[in-house]
Amino acid sequence: MMSPDTSLAFTLRGVRKAFRYFALDGLDLQLPLGQIMGLVGPNGAGKSTTIRLLMGLIAPEAGVIEVLGQRVPEHAARAKRDVAFVAEDMRLYGAATLAWHMRLVASIFPNWDEVYAQQLLKRFNLHAEQPTRGLSRGEHIKAMLLLALARRPRLLVLDEPTSGLDPVARYELLSELMEIVRDDSRSILFSSHNTLDVERVCDQIAFLDRGRLVDVSDKEAFLERWRRLQLDVPPGVTLPVLADVVEVSSSARLATLTTNNYQPELQATLERAGARVHEVQRMSLEEIFVASVMRSRGEAAS
Amino acid sequence: MSSVFWALVRKDMYVLRVFAMTGVATGLVALGAMLTGKVGFAIGGILYLTAHIAMGIMIGMYGFMSDRKEQTRLFSLSLPISGQHHDLAKLTAAFATYGIPWAILTGAAAMVVLLSGVFPRGFLVYGLLVQGCCLALFSVFVAVLFVAKTEPLAGLAIIVTNILFSLFMMTLAQESISGSMKGPRIVWSDAALTLAACETGLAVLAVVFAISIILRKRDHL
């Protein structure tokens, strides 16, 4: 039996979980301590399933899950002492006040930081004595985030926390997350289908689609690797088949080539073949995400 | 059990307290009404049984069904407790929230029968059997809620337990069973003892069933 790697916030190896109409299969993912990972995928990609597996809320049919060195789901209770979890569809008890929730969480977590909780209360403009059923969507998320952050977790797991938030609330939430990771012993797993949010806060990015991991890398590497080339292809010239070219689309003499492993030599190779490179464009994370998913779906179909 | 377990039990009892307090208040008012004469007895009796039934349904529906539907369950499962212990805490809290008012009302009903002089003392057996039936059917309802995850199924469980309660009341009303309960002495006839044993057996079976479901479950959402 392998001993747990203490430099990792979590690791999933060969994880499988099947439902009637959906299966997460062969998932391998890990996050080093002190990093923020963005788990990006379209709706139904398996982001929430992955997070629920990590939290021990559902059990895998195969594979190994470790969170902060603890096997999950077997020792999920022990792991959750240092993990805070907030999900978009999670709700607090409507009839109870935020103060009551704070007392409940404080009674369970010895690391509860009351001073920090009071600071967050002010920063988020929340009222502790207000029953939580009166909170707006954004306030509700902030209240749950307060309850999560003030327990000073080593790993913060956020399932679509910015979904449905107005731009100001989203900005506040993301700023708070960036503040947290100044302390580099804390890690965050952040799922979203909003690539702008992920691009803003994450170090590592994992793309998930239809229950499979499409790609995982650190953000800078993603942005460096992916390029779109605008080409002029004269009549009679055929572009060579190149590895790492994800997509080629053409219209008359103009062609657009997308690569997921850009090297400057690619330009020379294309020009040797007779094409002329007009422009090499960087791609946004959203464009990279869409291209990755479409490529993965194409491969699965063939 | 860990401190988190007991914190979750206290949490559920706090969340469900309004149903318990309303149940006790209504039950006590009903007992008072039962002392005021024939009409008062009839109205109080219906109110007393309604208080028990409504309290059981509300505790079950709010404690289990709403918890799932409103996703508050996701919040409590995020705390450092295993899924099994989380559900055992819910089971414990449901029985504590129903059981404490049930015990208060059972005690109050026994005192009324024994001390008021309005009812024959033999009526105590009748009252205790009705109370036992309420507790047994609450156990069945709660056990079913660990399996039935949709509102229609929970509704079906309510209908079935109410039918069982009506059948029980009809059985209890038979002269051969309730005859001795109208006398001045407290008599546990064979029929009464059999009914008490059935109630106990049903409650134990329901709790064992619920615990076995909890311990076998691997997915907790």
Side-chain angles (χ1 to χ4, degrees):
Chain A
M1 197 172 133
M2 288 169 71
S3 60
D5 187 340
T6 51
S7 66
L8 295 174
F10 68 77
T11 176
L12 297 112
R13 288 194 297 272
V15 171
R16 176 180 164 77
K17 178 72 183 174
F19 299 96
R20 197 167 173 192
Y21 299 110
F22 171 77
L24 192 72
D25 206 5
L27 188 63
D28 291 295
L29 200 60
Q30 57 183 44
L31 176 67
L33 281 173
Q35 297 221 344
I36 309 185
M37 175 179 275
L39 193 58
V40 187
N43 293 328
K47 304 185 294 290
S48 294
T49 302
T50 305
I51 284 176
R52 286 167 184 202
L53 284 162
L54 271 175
M55 294 302 297
L57 306 180
I58 53 177
E61 276 133 33
V64 173
I65 303 173
E66 281 167 12
V67 177
L68 298 171
Q70 303 287 344
R71 280 290 284 268
V72 169
E74 297 85 345
H75 302 296
R78 217 178 291 162
K80 284 192 282 184
R81 285 180 201 157
D82 286 316
V83 181
F85 169 45
V86 173
E88 178 238 348
D89 52 358
M90 183 188 278
R91 293 289 175 273
L92 300 173
Y93 293 91
T97 63
L98 176 56
W100 176 83
H101 284 88
M102 287 163 71
R103 284 195 296 276
L104 172 71
V105 177
S107 74
I108 291 171
F109 291 91
N111 289 344
W112 176 262
D113 186 338
E114 185 58 30
V115 174
Y116 185 41
Q118 293 301 326
Q119 283 172 4
L120 288 173
L121 208 54
K122 278 194 190 135
R123 200 179 308 173
F124 290 158
N125 197 25
L126 295 168
H127 305 283
E129 296 308 326
Q130 182 180 1
T132 61
R133 76 157 61 93
L135 298 176
S136 70
R137 169 94 191 84
E139 287 171 333
H140 205 100
I141 285 279
K142 285 180 190 170
M144 289 191 293
L145 202 65
L146 181 154
L147 295 169
L149 296 179
R151 65 174 90 155
R152 296 287 188 192
R154 288 172 63 204
L155 172 63
L156 181 61
V157 178
L158 304 169
D159 190 6
E160 307 259 9
T162 55
S163 172
L165 291 188
D166 63 71
V168 175
R170 242 175 59 201
Y171 177 83
E172 285 177 328
L173 190 149
L174 296 177
S175 301
E176 199 55 44
L177 292 186
M178 287 159 90
E179 185 77 17
I180 299 162
V181 284
R182 280 192 189 167
D183 175 354
D184 61 9
S185 66
R186 299 185 200 284
S187 315
I188 301 178
L189 175 66
F190 178 94
S191 92
S192 180
H193 51 249
N194 187 329
T195 50
L196 286 177
D197 291 348
V198 170
E199 193 167 354
R200 195 173 151 209
V201 298
C202 297
D203 314 302
Q204 298 262 334
I205 294 166
F207 291 149
L208 209 59
D209 184 48
R210 295 180 177 172
R212 287 181 179 276
L213 188 67
V214 173
D215 203 352
V216 60
S217 179
D218 66 85
K219 180 175 71 185
E220 295 310 321
F222 258 127
L223 296 173
E224 282 306 313
R225 281 198 286 122
W226 284 78
R227 288 284 192 282
R228 186 174 286 141
L229 284 77
Q230 302 291 351
L231 311 172
D232 176 24
V233 187
V237 171
T238 309
L239 292 177
V241 178
L242 299 165
D244 305 324
V245 170
V246 173
E247 190 190 3
V248 180
S249 60
S250 56
S251 154
R253 286 172 62 114
L254 293 176
T256 305
L257 182 148
T258 307
T259 174
N260 67 352
N261 188 19
Y262 177 73
Q263 306 291 336
E265 301 83 71
L266 178 63
Q267 253 177 284
T269 308
L270 290 166
E271 289 187 350
R272 272 200 302 275
R276 202 157 64 80
V277 178
H278 278 304
E279 196 179 0
V280 180
Q281 299 168 333
R282 292 178 76 92
M283 294 170 70
S284 68
L285 191 65
E286 180 157 321
E287 290 169 323
I288 296 172
F289 167 57
V290 172
S292 298
V293 166
M294 295 318 289
R295 182 198 188 198
S296 155
R297 288 183 184 180
E299 283 175 357
S302 62
Chain B
M1 289 295 177
S2 68
S3 59
V4 183
F5 176 91
W6 294 112
L8 288 184
V9 171
R10 285 195 301 275
K11 179 267 296 174
D12 263 18
M13 289 180 72
Y14 175 82
V15 169
L16 300 171
R17 71 196 184 288
V18 65
F19 305 122
M21 282 163 22
T22 310
V24 171
T26 312
L28 291 176
V29 169
L31 280 174
M34 287 169 78
L35 296 171
T36 60
K38 214 170 175 181
V39 176
F41 179 81
I43 293 172
I46 292 168
L47 191 62
Y48 184 79
L49 293 177
T50 306
H52 273 285
I53 293 167
M55 183 170 67
I57 291 172
M58 293 311 286
I59 288 171
M61 291 302 280
Y62 200 83
F64 293 88
M65 297 309 288
S66 297
D67 198 35
R68 277 194 204 111
K69 195 175 157 192
E70 292 171 14
Q71 301 281 21
T72 46
R73 179 177 173 81
L74 204 51
F75 169 71
S76 50
L77 276 167
S78 75
L79 300 171
I81 190 161
S82 68
Q84 275 93 0
H85 283 178
H86 173 273
D87 283 0
L88 286 173
K90 288 207 81 67
L91 185 68
T92 307
F95 274 97
T97 314
Y98 183 82
I100 293 171
W102 177 89
I104 292 170
L105 291 176
T106 304
M111 300 277 270
V112 165
V113 172
L114 295 175
L115 304 177
S116 68
V118 174
F119 306 105
R121 288 168 72 87
F123 195 65
L124 182 71
V125 175
Y126 183 92
L128 290 178
L129 285 174
V130 171
Q131 288 293 106
C133 182
C134 288
L135 187 61
L137 291 178
F138 175 75
S139 309
V140 171
F141 180 49
V142 167
V144 170
L145 290 179
F146 278 97
V147 187
K149 294 189 175 163
T150 62
E151 278 171 355
L153 281 175
L156 189 66
I158 292 171
I159 293 167
V160 170
T161 46
N162 275 328
I163 291 171
L164 288 174
F165 187 71
S166 301
L167 287 174
F168 169 82
M169 293 302 280
M170 282 162 63
T171 309
L172 198 59
Q174 286 178 42
E175 191 60 27
S176 59
I177 296 175
S178 61
S180 62
M181 298 175 194
K182 293 170 187 163
R185 285 176 49 239
I186 299 167
V187 180
W188 282 93
S189 65
D190 287 349
L193 285 172
T194 306
L195 277 176
C198 288
E199 288 170 349
T200 310
L202 187 63
V204 170
L205 216 65
V207 173
V208 169
F209 173 76
I211 292 173
S212 72
I213 291 288
I214 291 169
L215 296 181
R216 276 182 17 210
K217 241 180 13 176
R218 284 168 53 80
D219 294 344
H220 301 281
L221 281 175

